[in-house]
């Protein structure tokens, strides 16, 4: 039979792996740097498949993590700090894909906050909704970069709506979803995470 110390040790080491895979503090810097690849690749890998593997692993191993209260607290605080820090960094970025990359890191922080508060269903739900709206935004950014002849500096863009109406509308829908506007998928998953966090620890909320 495993002792409490064994379970805590195992879950902390598993979480360490998830921290690197899912770009949490302090191992988040690789994700924005990985944006050098083609945009459709970013849409697949950075929105849906690769970076969410850490979340999936923790959710799948929830039987162990639920027994380790200390680890869960560490996960929640790491997720909370990552969500706030990455969103703050995103505000100061000028590269259209780096903005989305840091936004992804922030959303992954949200998912870890849900895992740390024992809300595994909400975390996996947010993985699913995020995959769709973030892929939409990456493909939208690819459309903009293509139209701008490879330019990625948002300071050199503006007034593109009249030239790219479809991209503009679809990108805006992705923005509404990630902002958690009621009626869009992001609202339901974020609301679930916030509700679970408030029930677990109001100060985190």
């Amino acid at each position: 039979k495993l002792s409490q110390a064994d379970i805590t040790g195992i879950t902390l080491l598993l979480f360490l792996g998830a921290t690197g895979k899912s770009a949490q503090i302090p191992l988040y810097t690789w994700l924005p740097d990985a944006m050098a690849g083609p945009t459709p690749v970013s849409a697949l890998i950075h929105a849906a498949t690769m970076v969410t593997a850490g979340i999936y692993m923790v959710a799948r191993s929830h039987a162990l993590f639920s027994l380790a209260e200390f680890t869960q607290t560490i996960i929640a605080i790491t997720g909370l700090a990552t969500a706030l820090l990455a969103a703050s960094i995103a505000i100061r970025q000028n590269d259209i894909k780096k903005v989305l990359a840091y936004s992804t890191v922030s959303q992954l922080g949200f998912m870890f906050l849900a895992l740390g508060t024992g809300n595994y269903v909400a975390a996996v739900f947010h993985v699913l909704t995020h995959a769709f709206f973030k892929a939409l935004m990456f493909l939208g950014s690819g459309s903009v970069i293509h139209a701008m002849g490879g330019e990625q500096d948002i300071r050199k863009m503006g007034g593109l709506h009249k030239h790219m109406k479809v991209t503009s509308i679809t990108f805006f829908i992705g923005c509404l979803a990630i902002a958690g506007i009621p009626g869009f998928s992001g609202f339901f998953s974020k609301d679930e995470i916030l509700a679970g966090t408030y029930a677990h620890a109001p100060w985190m909320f």
Side-chain angles (χ1 to χ4, degrees), residues 110-111 113-114 119 122-123 126 189-198:
F110 246 120
M111 295 169 204
L113 175 61
N119 206 348
H126 196 52
S189 55
K190 284 188 163 185
D191 189 54
E192 194 68 32
I193 291 172
L194 290 172
T197 304
Y198 186 74

Side-chain angles (χ1 to χ4, degrees), residues 13 53 70 72 112 128 142 172 176 182 190 196:
L13 289 168
F70 175 74
Q72 287 217 289
F112 272 112
L128 194 68
F172 184 56
L176 292 174
K190 284 188 163 185

Side-chain angles (χ1 to χ4, degrees), residues 40-100:
V41 176
S42 301
L44 173 68
I45 292 179
H46 297 285
T49 52
M50 186 172 71
V51 291
T52 53
I55 313 279
Y56 179 72
M57 182 196 68
V58 175
R60 285 288 293 190
S61 315
H62 71 273
L64 265 179
F65 283 89
S66 297
L67 297 172
E69 203 172 306
F70 175 74
T71 307
Q72 287 217 289
T73 306
I74 296 287
I75 292 173
I77 291 169
T78 303
L80 195 58
T82 305
L84 290 170
L85 178 75
S88 308
I89 296 173
I91 294 169
R92 296 289 296 140
Q93 295 299 311
N94 297 315
D95 183 314
I96 189 167
K97 285 179 75 178
K98 287 236 166 111
V99 174
L100 293 177

Side-chain angles (χ1 to χ4, degrees), residues 168-183:
S168 171
I169 292 162
T170 50
F171 213 128
F172 184 56
I173 289 169
C175 290
L176 292 174
I178 198 170
I181 302 298

Side-chain angles (χ1 to χ4, degrees), residues 88-186:
S88 308
I89 296 173
I91 294 169
R92 296 289 296 140
Q93 295 299 311
N94 297 315
D95 183 314
I96 189 167
K97 285 179 75 178
K98 287 236 166 111
V99 174
L100 293 177
Y102 280 110
S103 150
T104 299
V105 177
S106 179
Q107 296 301 313
L108 291 166
F110 246 120
M111 295 169 204
F112 272 112
L113 175 61
L115 293 171
T117 53
N119 206 348
Y120 303 103
V121 174
V124 176
F125 182 28
H126 196 52
V127 165
L128 194 68
T129 59
H130 173 261
F132 286 95
F133 58 68
K134 186 54 66 66
L136 170 62
M137 293 173 82
F138 267 122
L139 292 170
S141 74
S143 175
V144 171
I145 293 164
H146 180 66
M148 296 286 289
E151 182 58 65
Q152 292 186 210
D153 191 334
I154 55 175
R155 291 171 296 187
K156 297 177 183 173
M157 300 172 192
L160 292 176
H161 173 74
K162 58 181 178 286
H163 304 292
M164 309 175 67
K165 285 195 167 54
V166 174
T167 300
S168 171
I169 292 162
T170 50
F171 213 128
F172 184 56
I173 289 169
C175 290
L176 292 174
I178 198 170
I181 302 298
F184 292 85
S185 63

